[in-house]
């Protein structure tokens, strides 16, 4: 996960370069964009990839270890025989991570050893917990692709990339990981989450400007009274 996270972090730098620095919309990448200066852009990407490769190669040389081996107690969902159980359990774990970002009230130093029971059937209420998460991510993804071009859309796209991409190595989609939930993999995604919250508050403020001023004054008066 650590090695893949290094690549993902560099990928975020590339996304920032294209979307925020060069102000290129995702669908515009298919078009002719001479202002992007592809040669300079390719040089920067090459430097990033070369640096990442050297760091990972040096770490492998120092550690001199192979791929880690995990036990069913480390990540029970990845060892489940039923494909349905794996899909439902993975999706529930995604929603659990999202809830930790939204409301980190209870944390745990070790989520293994059956701390999160498997979701084995659609009759389990937890099987439907990821539905709001996928609806929100789907809506944000559609807006990032098809929304009105502008600064706000680019910031949403960048925030979404910062939220989703760093979490991919821990998603169990590409390889098995040795944990169920780990708060440490939410450090970078939390930055994207905070940016999305700030953008959402800004959008609500602009859309409900009158009510926003009323609420702002009410809160100010309440704080003064306290």
């Amino acid at each position: 996960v650590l090695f893949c996270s290094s690549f993902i972090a560099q990928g975020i730098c590339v996304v920032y370069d294209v979307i925020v620095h060069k102000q290129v919309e995702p669908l515009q990448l298919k078009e002719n964009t001479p202002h992007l200066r592809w040669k300079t852009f390719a040089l920067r990407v090459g430097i990033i990839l070369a640096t990442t490769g050297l760091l990972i190669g040096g770490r492998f040389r120092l550690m001199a270890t192979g791929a880690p081996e995990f036990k069913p107690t480390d990540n029970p969902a990845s060892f489940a025989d039923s494909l349905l159980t794996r899909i439902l359990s993975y999706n529930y774990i995604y929603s659990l991570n999202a809830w930790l970002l939204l409301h980190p009230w209870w944390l745990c130093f070790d989520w293994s050893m059956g701390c999160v029971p498997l979701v084995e059937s659609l009759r389990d209420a937890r099987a439907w917990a990821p539905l709001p998460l996928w609806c929100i991510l789907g809506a944000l993804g559609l807006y990032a692709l098809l929304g009105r071009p502008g600064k706000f859309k680019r910031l949403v796209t960048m925030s979404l990339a910062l939220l989703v991409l760093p979490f991919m190595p821990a998603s169990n989609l590409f390889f098995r990981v040795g944990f169920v939930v780990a708060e440490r993999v939410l450090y970078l995604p939390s930055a994207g989450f905070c940016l999305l919250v700030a953008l959402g508050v800004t959008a609500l403020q602009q859309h409900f400007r009158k009510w926003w001023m009323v609420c702002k004054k009410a809160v100010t008066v309440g704080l003064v009274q306290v």
Side-chain angles (χ1 to χ4, degrees), residues 93-108 111 116 167 180-186 190 193:
I93 291 171
Y94 302 156
S95 64
L96 187 59
N97 279 276
W99 180 250
L100 288 176
L101 285 176
L102 182 63
H103 187 64
W105 179 252
W106 32 266
L107 304 176
C108 182
W111 292 82
V116 180
F167 184 76
V180 179
V181 178
E183 287 85 354
R184 63 183 179 272
V185 304
L186 297 178
S190 65
F193 175 77

Side-chain angles (χ1 to χ4, degrees), residues 174-189:
F174 306 105
F175 48 81
R176 178 180 294 156
V177 298
F179 52 85
V180 179
V181 178
E183 287 85 354
R184 63 183 179 272
V185 304
L186 297 178
Y187 293 157
L188 280 178

Side-chain angles (χ1 to χ4, degrees), residues 152 196-209 212:
F152 187 83
L196 284 174
V197 171
L199 291 171
V201 171
T202 301
L204 290 175
Q205 179 183 0
Q206 294 175 351
H207 190 71
F208 302 101
R209 186 177 300 272
W212 180 267

Side-chain angles (χ1 to χ4, degrees), residues 23-39:
Q23 300 184 1
V24 176
E25 305 290 342
L27 294 181
Q28 289 180 343
L29 294 175
K30 298 180 180 180
E31 304 173 359
N32 185 20
T33 52
H35 65 283
L36 187 57
R37 297 181 180 179
W38 288 106
K39 291 184 178 180

Side-chain angles (χ1 to χ4, degrees), residues 114-125:
C115 189
V116 180
L118 297 177
V119 182
E120 300 178 340
S121 171
L122 291 174
R123 290 174 292 185
D124 191 328

